[in-house]
Amino acid sequence: MSMSYNVTYLKSLQAVRERSHRVYELAQRGQLEHFVFDESKIDDVADYVLSLVHRDYASIASVPPHGRWRSYCVKTPEGDRDLVAEHVLKWKASDVSEWECARRVIDLIMVSVLIDAGAGANWHYEDELGVFERTEGLGIAALRMFERGVFSSHPHNPFQADARALLVLSDTDVACGFQVTDSNPLLGCTNRAQLLRNLGRALSDGSRYFGGKCACNNHPARPGFMLDYLSGCTEAPLVVSIDDVWDVVIDGLACVWPAGRTQLDGVALGDVWACDTLDVGSDSERQRADTLVPFHKLSQWLAWSLLEVVVKLGKLKVSGTEKLTGLPEYRNGGLLVDMGVLTLSPADLARGLRDGSNVPVFEGGDAVIVEWRAMTVALLDKIADRIKAKCGLPSDQLPDMFLARVLEGGTWKAGRELAARMRPTTKDPPIDIISDGTLF
């Protein structure tokens, strides 16, 4: 088995699911290193999630897929508003083609997802629509920067993100866009700015994916031009494979992620981490590769988010979306801890409690966090299976992108609501992660 094979495998969606389920199999045998696993409580989680689905939607079939677009569906005193859809209507009224509208929304979604790591409990964004925190605040801030042309080099069109503008984006531009002050601190703000500059470099270097049919000096590379690439990958009329979408995200954006993380065969792997649960005590390169668990959380969050635009505005169908996994982040994972499916070991609890914190805190690469995230991926599959069995729909009436609807309807919402109920002062998850603005 060559190193190149290992690198290719660890960047794949298949590896995310397979490696996480290997950890789950060990959990079933009581062989986790950092958590106690109570399998009997999975049904309780599924029932709770399904109760939220029934509270907020008619059925799981009515739940929209999990994606960044949801951050732009806001409640106002005048009623519910879809800020993205409003822009699309305005653009069309100005004779912008539907294809270009799709490109513009992809531009927005990509920059918005890349800056969507945890903001911290002390940051907020003040807008004409209200005060927003955490992921919603980050999303609204990104939208307002997009509207002002912060990401665009076009003198007459603010509504795009392109390589030329992103490459020269300053830390100050981003801090101002997020309203960062000493009294309104945003975790990892400078790292978020660097991610966007890295995106500019990825776009500039990735003409295959982001050059577009009209890319030239007057039309610098844009995320939205990936739609042109995908339209040339159709395996049947208007059908593109999730593998092609994933190639754009995982290969086209490879240089976006910090290079200092896990490397194999000289290749930076991104959101891939050594898992001591899988460690068999060998120092060989092959055995080391076997202990690595990939998550690619922000990449998958981006993929889930892009699918909605590609389908709704690009009018393409995407096959194979079941290959995507649930997102291993602190809301989904926090749900599992708060409902007793996973209980942190006493030794790790003591190690994580620091500086008077009320919940244990760990670095993103800590063995506790890696095991927690692997179990989250596998358990989201198990919860989705239970919800399929409990939701009352025959198999031929289950909606597509079922897991994305479970996340939205859903596990992410359940994790957030439980956190707010159990820790109302901070609304933090039961285990906190030190954020650098590039991972969670």
Side-chain angles (χ1 to χ4, degrees):
M1 185 181 295
S2 67
M3 283 292 100
S4 60
Y5 173 86
N6 280 329
V7 169
T8 300
Y9 174 71
L10 289 168
K11 286 188 169 187
S12 71
L13 293 170
Q14 175 187 353
V16 177
R17 182 165 272 115
E18 288 180 350
R19 288 291 167 91
S20 292
H21 278 268
R22 277 180 55 191
V23 176
Y24 182 84
E25 289 166 5
L26 293 171
Q28 289 181 301
R29 300 198 292 267
Q31 295 177 4
L32 292 180
E33 296 288 330
H34 306 284
F35 289 88
V36 175
F37 172 46
D38 188 344
E39 193 168 14
S40 69
K41 294 186 177 179
I42 297 176
D43 265 329
D44 294 339
V45 177
D47 289 340
Y48 178 52
V49 171
L50 199 53
S51 75
L52 296 187
V53 169
H54 290 153
R55 182 193 71 187
D56 298 332
Y57 304 92
S59 75
I60 191 70
S62 303
V63 180
H66 198 48
R68 192 54 164 159
W69 198 319
R70 301 285 79 69
S71 297
Y72 301 117
C73 298
V74 298
K75 295 183 181 299
T76 71
E78 294 75 32
D80 295 348
R81 294 178 59 185
D82 184 333
L83 303 181
V84 170
E86 289 176 12
H87 272 299
V88 171
L89 288 174
K90 291 176 184 176
W91 295 334
K92 288 182 178 179
S94 299
D95 294 326
V96 177
S97 71
E98 191 158 30
W99 195 255
E100 172 59 19
C101 288
R103 286 174 175 158
R104 291 181 179 189
V105 176
I106 289 173
D107 286 354
L108 168 63
I109 292 296
M110 190 170 288
V111 295
S112 184
V113 166
L114 291 183
I115 52 81
D116 190 34
N122 299 316
W123 177 84
H124 66 274
Y125 184 82
E126 296 182 6
D127 187 75
E128 62 186 28
L129 297 176
V131 178
F132 298 87
E133 300 174 340
R134 299 185 182 267
T135 186
E136 289 85 1
L138 295 169
I140 295 295
L143 175 64
R144 299 311 183 204
M145 285 189 273
F146 180 76
E147 292 169 340
R148 294 197 303 271
V150 173
F151 311 122
S152 172
S153 67
H154 196 294
H156 306 298
N157 178 28
F159 302 112
Q160 68 179 43
D162 62 65
R164 191 179 297 157
L166 291 169
L167 283 167
V168 297
L169 195 67
S170 71
D171 293 353
T172 301
D173 292 331
V174 174
C176 289
F178 284 121
Q179 302 176 349
V180 174
T181 63
D182 289 343
S183 60
N184 190 37
L186 173 65
L187 295 177
C189 186
T190 58
N191 289 335
R192 294 171 207 266
Q194 186 59 55
L195 278 187
L196 293 177
R197 288 191 290 271
N198 290 351
L199 172 60
R201 181 160 61 91
L203 297 174
S204 183
D205 294 344
S207 59
R208 176 188 177 196
Y209 301 120
F210 307 115
K213 295 176 181 177
C214 62
C216 59
N217 288 335
N218 293 327
H219 298 280
R222 293 167 50 190
F225 285 147
M226 68 174 282
L227 193 62
D228 300 80
Y229 169 78
L230 292 175
S231 70
C233 297
T234 51
E235 56 191 25
L238 300 180
V239 178
V240 64
S241 169
I242 189 62
D243 296 325
D244 292 312
V245 178
W246 187 243
D247 283 346
V248 174
V249 172
I250 202 69
D251 291 332
L253 302 180
C255 70
V256 169
W257 312 114
R261 294 192 186 140
T262 305
Q263 295 193 2
L264 191 64
D265 201 23
V267 177
L269 297 175
D271 187 11
V272 179
W273 307 88
C275 181
D276 61 354
T277 321
L278 299 177
D279 192 355
V280 295
S282 172
D283 293 329
S284 73
E285 280 296 292
R286 177 174 176 176
Q287 292 296 336
R288 175 176 172 266
D290 286 345
T291 69
L292 296 177
V293 179
F295 299 113
H296 305 303
K297 181 263 176 180
L298 276 177
S299 296
Q300 290 209 74
W301 175 222
L302 178 57
W304 280 121
S305 299
L306 291 171
L307 288 183
E308 185 169 8
V309 188
V310 168
V311 172
K312 185 180 294 186
L313 298 180
K315 306 302 182 185
L316 298 175
K317 296 180 180 179
V318 182
S319 65
T321 58
E322 69 278 359
K323 294 181 181 179
L324 289 166
T325 74
L327 300 178
E329 47 76 58
Y330 60 80
R331 290 304 183 203
N332 290 321
L335 170 67
L336 304 173
V337 174
D338 278 336
M339 293 200 69
V341 180
L342 296 173
T343 302
L344 190 61
S345 72
D348 285 304
L349 176 61
R351 180 169 66 87
L353 291 172
R354 59 178 82 181
D355 300 328
S357 62
N358 294 319
V359 298
V361 182
F362 301 93
E363 297 282 352
D366 192 278
V368 165
I369 302 302
V370 177
E371 187 175 85
W372 184 30
R373 297 180 76 199
M375 288 297 293
T376 298
V377 170
L379 282 164
L380 288 171
D381 281 343
K382 303 298 182 183
I383 292 165
D385 287 342
R386 305 289 172 93
I387 291 175
K388 280 183 182 178
K390 293 170 179 282
C391 70
L393 292 175
S395 59
D396 61 349
Q397 293 182 25
L398 292 172
D400 60 355
M401 292 196 285
F402 188 86
L403 180 56
R405 299 172 198 275
V406 170
L407 297 175
E408 179 64 26
T411 55
W412 186 88
K413 183 185 295 182
R416 170 180 269 196
E417 292 192 7
L418 274 181
R421 187 188 313 161
M422 299 176 74
R423 291 166 295 279
T425 302
T426 65
K427 303 176 184 177
D428 281 339
I431 299 172
D432 218 346
I433 303 163
I434 298 172
S435 175
D436 67 354
T438 68
L439 186 60
F440 300 97

